[in-house]
């Protein structure tokens, strides 16, 4: 497992930003706990990639900010973390898309579709890897190159064109998910998910198990599953390549914050904050919203 260095954003009084940071940290903890010792899987948290060759409308390099990227032999997962303290609603927009609302302090507000956002990140990632495929994927054996020319491109080289990149939208454990009008996640060509953060690792394992046996049979019961794959060294090479090109945002100052497990609810990442007007320092937990005097808690 490859983990990018986690740097906390500056302390803020905005509760939504604090909650968003906690949601990403919580899911990174779940993924590290499950996949840290799994040689089949590489995880990159907080990956930010820029592509200067593709400028945006304002002239800045195009970029993708991926909360969590999970790489495996048969493809990848992009996991978008959403902080939801109350309820999130999702429904079909009538044309095959999805519409989202989030409830906060009793008020419902429309938000950008995190699923479509993750799909855009997936296409950026696919294009970025395709441009660098020759250094990441080995050439096919000579006997298989004529087939590759028919299925992929005239050169017969392996590419990332058909790499499965699945999407998972992870909702905070404390939130509720409401699917309006019997809305269900897309399942073609590969399945997407909207689930609680603590269910992500299970979804990933379940889908990898669908890919693996499918690749061993010509008449696969799982359709497109298992038709594309990398070797394990190639998975590590792709993960290392992306980690080396991680480009942290330069316009936001980053500071290291001392953290520990919350002594009240045991959630990871309680922050040590300075007291005001002569008061003692204290531990602040964004998960339960409680403060604990510094003297009564020992840092982990």
């Amino acid at each position: 497992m490859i983990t990018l260095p986690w740097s906390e954003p500056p302390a803020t009084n905005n509760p939504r930003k604090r909650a968003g940071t906690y949601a990403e940290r919580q899911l990174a903890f779940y993924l590290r706990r499950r996949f840290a010792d799994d040689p089949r899987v590489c995880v990159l948290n907080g990956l930010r990639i820029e592509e200067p060759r593709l400028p945006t409308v304002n002239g800045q390099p195009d970029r993708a900010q991926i909360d969590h990227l999970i790489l495996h032999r048969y493809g990848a997962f992009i996991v978008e973390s959403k902080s939801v303290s109350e309820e999130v609603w999702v429904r079909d927009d009538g044309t095959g898309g999805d519409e989202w609302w989030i409830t906060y302090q009793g008020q419902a507000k429309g938000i950008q579709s995190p699923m479509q956002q993750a799909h855009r990140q997936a296409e950026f990632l696919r294009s970025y890897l395709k441009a660098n495929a020759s250094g990441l994927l080995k050439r096919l054996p000579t006997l298989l190159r004529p087939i590759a020319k028919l299925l992929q491109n005239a050169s017969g080289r392996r590419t990332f064109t058909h790499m499965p990149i699945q999407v998972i939208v992870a909702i905070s454990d404390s939130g509720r998910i409401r699917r309006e009008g019997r809305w269900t996640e897309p399942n073609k060509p590969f399945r997407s998910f909207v689930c609680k953060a603590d269910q992500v690792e299970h979804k990933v394992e379940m889908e990898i198990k669908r890919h693996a046996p499918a690749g061993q049979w010509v008449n696969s019961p799982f359709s497109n599953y298992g038709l594309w794959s990398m070797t394990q060294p190639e998975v590590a090479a792709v993960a290392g390549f992306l980690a080396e090109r991680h480009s942290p945002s330069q316009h936001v100052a980053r500071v290291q914050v001392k953290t520990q497990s919350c002594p009240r609810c045991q959630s990871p990442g309680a922050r040590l904050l300075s007291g005001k007007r002569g008061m003692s320092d204290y531990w602040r937990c964004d998960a339960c919203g409680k403060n604990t005097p510094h003297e009564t808690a020992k840092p982990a």
Side-chain angles (χ1 to χ4, degrees):
M1 174 174 172
I2 298 177
T3 302
L4 296 172
W6 179 271
S7 56
E8 290 282 353
T12 174
N13 291 325
N14 187 322
R16 297 292 298 277
K17 290 183 178 179
R18 290 202 308 266
T21 298
Y22 176 79
E24 293 183 25
R25 190 195 305 122
Q26 182 185 49
L27 185 49
F29 168 75
Y30 286 149
L31 296 177
R32 182 177 66 252
R33 182 182 60 185
R34 174 58 190 87
F35 296 116
D37 298 321
D38 190 334
R40 305 170 305 160
V41 176
C42 291
V43 180
L44 293 96
N45 299 307
L47 177 65
R48 184 178 184 274
I49 297 292
E50 291 188 352
E51 179 50 276
R53 292 172 293 184
L54 298 174
T56 60
V57 292
N58 61 6
Q60 298 297 316
D62 195 8
R63 59 187 178 273
Q65 176 76 48
I66 300 174
D67 290 345
H68 313 276
L69 176 64
I70 304 170
L71 295 165
H72 58 96
R73 281 198 58 197
Y74 304 98
F77 295 88
I78 286 181
V79 186
E80 180 72 16
S81 294
K82 296 302 295 183
S83 172
V84 178
S85 59
E86 297 180 19
E87 192 169 50
V88 62
W89 305 354
V90 58
R91 72 178 184 186
D92 193 315
D93 69 355
T95 62
D98 50 310
E99 293 181 346
W100 293 70
W101 291 266
I102 191 169
T103 302
Y104 181 66
Q105 295 183 347
Q107 299 294 319
K109 178 182 178 181
I111 62 172
Q112 180 184 29
S113 166
M115 184 164 286
Q116 298 307 317
Q117 180 182 356
H119 280 301
R120 288 191 291 271
Q121 294 167 350
E123 290 312 307
F124 177 97
L125 178 65
R126 188 187 308 281
S127 296
Y128 192 81
L129 291 175
K130 282 172 61 177
N132 297 277
S134 61
L136 298 171
L137 298 177
K138 294 182 179 179
R139 290 180 62 87
L140 283 170
T142 303
L143 293 177
L144 296 179
R145 289 176 191 173
I147 299 175
K149 291 179 180 180
L150 294 175
L151 297 178
Q152 300 186 36
N153 55 48
S155 70
R157 289 182 176 273
R158 294 169 63 213
T159 74
F160 291 93
T161 301
H162 303 292
M163 175 186 184
I165 305 179
Q166 295 174 254
V167 166
I168 301 177
V169 178
I171 305 302
S172 304
D173 292 344
S174 59
R176 300 184 300 275
I177 303 169
R178 178 184 294 183
R179 295 170 171 84
E180 294 286 324
R182 298 182 179 179
W183 179 86
T184 58
E185 298 91 332
N187 59 11
K188 294 182 179 180
F190 307 100
R191 192 171 180 185
S192 301
F193 297 94
V194 177
C195 63
K196 296 290 191 69
D198 65 347
Q199 292 296 309
V200 170
E201 57 194 83
H202 169 68
K203 307 298 185 186
V204 169
E205 290 179 320
M206 178 178 68
E207 288 296 287
I208 292 177
K209 288 179 180 179
R210 294 184 70 184
H211 281 284
Q216 301 174 15
W217 304 96
V218 176
N219 297 318
S220 166
F222 297 127
S223 181
N224 293 318
Y225 280 77
L227 297 182
W228 187 95
S229 66
M230 295 183 281
T231 64
Q232 203 59 51
E234 287 172 340
V235 175
V238 171
F241 169 80
L242 293 173
E244 289 176 358
R245 284 153 182 78
H246 171 61
S247 177
S249 178
Q250 300 298 316
H251 66 277
V252 177
R254 298 282 180 172
V255 296
Q256 294 294 328
V257 177
K258 200 170 186 179
T259 64
Q260 69 152 36
S261 296
C262 175
R264 295 175 182 265
C265 70
Q266 305 306 313
S267 296
R271 298 173 291 124
L272 180 62
L273 301 179
S274 298
K276 297 181 179 179
R277 298 180 182 179
M279 298 185 67
S280 301
D281 294 349
Y282 61 96
W283 296 97
R284 171 67 179 179
C285 177
D286 293 328
C288 66
K290 302 295 185 180
N291 297 333
T292 304
H294 182 212
E295 309 80 52
T296 63
K298 296 181 179 180

